[in-house]
Amino acid sequence: MKKTLLTLMAMAAMSATALAAEIKPALVYGTGGKFDKSFNEAAYGGAEKFKEETGVEYRDFEPTSDTQGEQAIRNFASRGYNPVVAVSFAWTSAMEKVAAEFPDTKFVIVDAVVDLPNVRSVVYKEEEGSYLVGLLAGMASETGKVGFVGGMDIPLIRKFGCGYVQGVKAANPDAEVFQNMVGTTGAAWNDPVRAGELTKNQIDQGADVIYAAAGASGLGVLQTAADNDKLGIGVDSNQNHLHPGDVLTSMVKRVDLAVYNAFKDTQGDAFTAGVQSLGVEQDGVTYAVDENNKELITPEMQAAAEKAKADIIAGTVKVHDYMSDNSCPN
C-alpha cells in the first residue's frame, strides 16, 4: 500500500512537471520600455505574478521600433513559445500575419482586435476609467481648468481624453479642459521632456489638475505638475507613489490581468480566443486610492466616484466611446 501511494505521488509530481513544461510563455511589450511605470510595467507585473505563483519562467522582449515587434512575435512563435502575448495596438498587423502562420500557437493582443481562431483580443473601456478620474479632477480643481496630455495622437488615446472630459463636465459643466498630444509616432510614448513642456503650457493657462495618458512620457507630466504645486493624474499602473501628495489619483488599467490570465488559461488548458472587453464592471479599469493620495480624495469625492461606478454598471451613466464614431460629445 505504501509503495502504491509513493508511486501515485511520483506520478502526480511528474504530471504537474509535465504540465508546467508544456507552457513556454512569451511577452512582447509596446515601445517605451518595460519599466515605463505605466502600461508596459503593468504587463510585466502580470507576468511576474504568474511566475511567482507557478514557478514557470517566461521570456520577454522590449522593442524599440515597429519592425522589432513583428520580428519578436515571429521569433517566439517559431521557437515554440506558447502563448505569445503582445501588448500594444502597434502589433495588430504583425499579429495578423504571425498568428496565421502559426495556427497551433495561442496568441494574445492587448488594445487591438485580431479576428483569428487562435488569438485572444483584450480591449478595455478606457473611457469609463477616464470618466472616473475626470470626475475627481473636476471636483478637485480650484480654477475650473484642467488638462490632458496624451501620448501618440491616435483614436485610442482620444478615447481616454474624451472619457476624461465627460467626467470633468459631470462634476463642473463650466470647466475648461486643455488637451495636447506629445506626437504622432511611436516616439511619443517615450518623450517626457516634451510632455513636461506641454504640461507647463497648460499650467500657465490655469490648469491645476493634469491627466497623463502617454506611457513613459507621462512621467514628465507628473513631474512637471508636482514641480509647480499642481496635481497630476497617473495612468495604466497606479502611479500615486511617484509623487506622493501631488498625484490626485491614477486611472488603473488592468493590463496585468490580460497577461496573467493568458498565461494561466493556457497552462490550465482553458484558453479561449475571441474578444474580451474589460470595463468598470469587470474591474478592468478603476481609480486608485492609497496612502499616497488619501488626503487628496475627500469623502465627498470618493462617494461621487463610487456612485459613478455603480451608475456606469447599472447603465444609468453611459460614457461615450470616442472610437465608436471618432467624435466626443463635449
Side-chain angles (χ1 to χ4, degrees), residues 143-224:
T143 64
K145 298 179 179 180
V146 301
F148 172 83
V149 176
M152 188 176 176
D153 190 358
I154 52 174
L156 176 64
I157 299 303
R158 290 190 175 270
K159 183 180 183 181
F160 282 82
C162 183
Y164 178 65
V165 171
Q166 291 172 77
V168 171
K169 297 286 189 178
N172 178 7
D174 298 322
E176 189 172 357
V177 184
F178 307 117
Q179 297 189 62
N180 294 105
M181 299 288 182
V182 174
T184 57
T185 69
W189 304 119
N190 200 17
D191 192 350
V193 173
R194 175 59 179 158
E197 293 170 351
L198 294 171
T199 304
K200 184 60 167 63
N201 181 260
Q202 293 182 357
I203 290 171
D204 290 344
Q205 295 179 73
D208 58 355
V209 186
I210 300 94
Y211 177 27
S217 295
L219 300 177
V221 176
L222 300 181
Q223 182 70 59
T224 303

Side-chain angles (χ1 to χ4, degrees), residues 34-39 41-42 219 235 237-239 241-242:
K34 181 195 302 188
F35 298 114
D36 60 358
K37 308 295 183 188
S38 186
F39 181 78
E41 196 156 333
L219 300 177
V235 77
S237 295
N238 181 353
Q239 299 183 314
H241 67 283
L242 296 179

